[in-house]
Amino acid sequence: MKNSIKVQRAINNLTQAELASKIGVSRQTINAMEKGKYIPSTLLALKLSKLFKIPVESIFQLEENE
């Protein structure tokens, strides 16, 4: 699953640690999501969507083989 978390963090001027704190996860979780090593729960995806004020589909995109 591709995502634009790193881009959205940059747009919102947030570090991984700051984003993690705002949505209640560890910095390592943010890092793993950005690298595509961790697929977030629906709740976590919705928290990101609300924080960035964009649809979930704008943050996460399924790849063809998924």
Side-chain angles (χ1 to χ4, degrees):
M1 178 180 297
K2 293 169 59 176
N3 70 69
S4 63
I5 296 170
K6 189 172 186 175
V7 172
Q8 292 302 320
R9 268 196 318 104
I11 290 169
N12 290 276
N13 199 29
L14 294 169
T15 65
Q16 286 183 342
E18 290 168 336
L19 176 57
S21 177
K22 287 181 179 287
I23 61 171
V25 298
S26 69
R27 184 201 57 77
Q28 290 84 353
T29 299
I30 300 299
N31 187 48
M33 282 192 296
E34 287 182 357
K35 291 182 176 183
K37 295 181 179 180
Y38 176 76
I39 297 174
S41 67
T42 304
L43 179 60
L44 187 51
L46 290 170
K47 284 182 179 182
L48 287 166
S49 173
K50 183 176 181 180
L51 178 71
F52 294 142
K53 296 182 174 104
I54 59 174
V56 172
E57 297 85 358
S58 295
I59 303 170
F60 300 98
Q61 301 85 35
L62 283 177
E63 295 180 288
E64 276 194 36
N65 61 348
E66 293 181 306

